[in-house]
Amino acid sequence: MSSRVRKAVIPAAGLGTRFLPATKATPKEMLPVVDKPAIQYVVEEVVRSGIDDVLIITGRNKPSLEDHFDRVVELEDTLERDEGKRELLDRVRASTDLAHLHFVRQKDPHGLGHAVSCAAEHVGREPFAVLLGDDLIDERDELLTRMIDVQAEKGGCVLALLEVPPEQISLYGCAAVEATDTPDVVTVTELVEKPAAKDAPSNLALIGRYVLSPEIFDVLAETPPGRGGEIQVTDAIARLIDPEAVGGPVHGVVFRGRRYDTGDKADYLRSIVQLACDRADLGPDFRAWLTEFAASRLPLGDPDVPLQP
Ligand code: UTP
């Protein structure tokens, strides 16, 4: 039986090309989702699962990732002097005090697998969680804790799987699975990176949460570049499916909650709208405006009629 997961790794060193030019000087994980950068939601999720050791993999031109979680004393002093800014001050301070944060640089963005291998020294020989910095799970839904529990029970690796419409599976890693006695847990029998819909073994997509055994580092060290010339973590995990492999087996938790992908432009917009609608402070006014806006843009509405502010 392996030890319970204590450390989380957030790879955030990608180039974010889908958001260029916004991501020329700003990491995509720092793009605001309402009023927090995407990566802060991810760190908060880690903390809710009981982990307080977080390693963020950063890259060149990404100092804002570190700055965001650091104190800004002058800002705090200014807010402190204004009684009306108490709540803001608390929120600013909370963002600097979330967890024990560590940073390592991935010198060149050779892919997610390569980014994960940059965590080897920090993680050591224990299972660990990996969360993608642009993939958000709603705080009302539990995923990471469930994955950690499954890993504690079964050992090996645990992947987060989401059912997607068959025409979307080509955007994801895809898992062939067998059922277990537990309804939301499956045994993974094969992984295929971004298959065409007709070749996909299922409509279960890998989303940005993993619990991995430390043997993944040994496999990654020998994994050649795959799709797109990048070292793919999926290729390395696939090697741990082999019943003879040390570091397996590989299980999946089928997630049925709310997930927001902020790494893609259209999904980023949807994420912001959904999260804003559900916010107690913004939601009521924003929903009313959105209803009116949507009605004005529906096929029967006239897109040329300006919406009143
Ligand atoms: P993505 O492929 O979604 O991110 O990788 P990207 O490469 O930044 O974005 P596009 O496709 O060019 O728009 C998934 C996650 O893995 C990280 C990214 O930062 C993202 O959070 N990643 C990817 C790394 O840390 N290093 C890499 O070499 C590649």
Side-chain angles (χ1 to χ4, degrees):
M1 189 66 54
S2 51
S3 63
R4 199 173 166 81
V5 171
R6 298 183 308 129
K7 295 178 183 175
V9 176
I10 305 179
L15 294 177
T17 48
R18 282 170 288 174
F19 272 94
L20 283 169
T23 44
K24 263 179 78 186
T26 304
K28 74 171 172 184
E29 294 80 5
M30 282 301 295
L31 295 178
V33 178
V34 187
D35 53 5
K36 288 188 282 190
I39 195 160
Q40 187 175 334
Y41 288 85
V42 179
V43 173
E44 289 171 352
E45 181 191 341
V46 169
V47 172
R48 279 197 303 278
S49 79
I51 297 176
D52 85 334
D53 183 314
V54 183
L55 176 72
I56 299 181
I57 312 291
T58 70
R60 269 195 301 284
N61 302 327
K62 298 219 174 192
S64 60
L65 280 165
E66 284 181 57
D67 291 345
H68 176 71
F69 293 104
D70 200 356
R71 289 191 63 191
V72 186
V73 179
E74 317 78 64
L75 173 66
E76 290 182 26
D77 286 350
T78 309
L79 293 174
E80 200 155 29
R81 282 197 292 274
D82 186 339
E83 264 311 308
K85 301 272 167 65
R86 255 301 123 192
E87 200 201 324
L88 262 185
L89 176 64
D90 290 346
R91 298 194 70 209
V92 165
R93 285 201 172 133
S95 67
T96 66
D97 215 9
L98 289 168
H100 289 113
L101 289 175
H102 310 267
F103 299 87
V104 157
R105 279 197 180 190
Q106 181 188 17
K107 292 204 175 69
D108 289 299
H110 290 317
L112 178 57
H114 181 248
V116 170
S117 66
C118 296
E121 199 172 315
H122 181 85
V123 168
R125 302 306 291 183
E126 54 183 282
F128 63 105
V130 174
L131 298 93
L132 300 195
D134 55 0
D135 218 345
L136 311 187
I137 299 297
D138 195 289
E139 64 180 19
R140 294 162 290 188
D141 298 315
E142 208 170 73
L143 173 59
L144 186 59
T145 309
R146 178 77 187 123
M147 294 171 72
I148 292 171
D149 288 346
V150 171
Q151 201 279 338
E153 188 194 327
K154 298 187 181 292
C157 299
V158 180
L159 311 179
L161 302 174
L162 183 75
E163 270 182 49
V164 298
E167 66 276 10
Q168 284 179 22
I169 196 70
S170 61
L171 302 172
Y172 297 89
C174 171
V177 301
E178 281 170 6
T180 68
D181 293 342
T182 315
D184 65 332
V185 180
V186 290
T187 304
V188 175
T189 56
E190 193 191 350
L191 289 173
V192 191
E193 187 62 21
K194 301 189 172 155
K198 65 176 181 22
D199 303 324
S202 77
N203 64 341
L204 289 172
L206 263 66
I207 56 172
R209 300 291 178 273
Y210 309 77
V211 175
L212 302 175
S213 57
E215 285 77 12
I216 197 77
F217 296 126
D218 310 327
V219 180
L220 279 169
E222 295 169 359
T223 301
R227 208 185 164 88
E230 296 191 330
I231 298 177
Q232 302 286 352
V233 76
T234 317
D235 292 346
I237 299 169
R239 291 197 26 211
L240 297 181
I241 292 172
D242 180 345
E244 304 291 311
V246 184
V250 180
H251 286 95
V253 166
V254 181
F255 178 60
R256 301 215 156 80
R258 288 152 282 201
R259 165 197 179 242
Y260 312 102
D261 177 1
T262 65
D264 171 87
K265 266 185 273 199
D267 284 333
Y268 173 73
L269 295 174
R270 287 186 198 107
S271 306
I272 293 177
V273 170
Q274 290 176 81
L275 287 161
C277 281
D278 289 354
R279 283 264 298 247
D281 54 346
L282 298 167
D285 281 355
F286 184 63
R287 276 200 303 266
W289 174 85
L290 190 60
T291 308
E292 209 182 317
F293 177 77
S296 78
R297 291 294 188 275
L298 285 176
L300 294 177
D302 183 350
D304 294 329
V305 176
L307 197 66
Q308 297 308 313

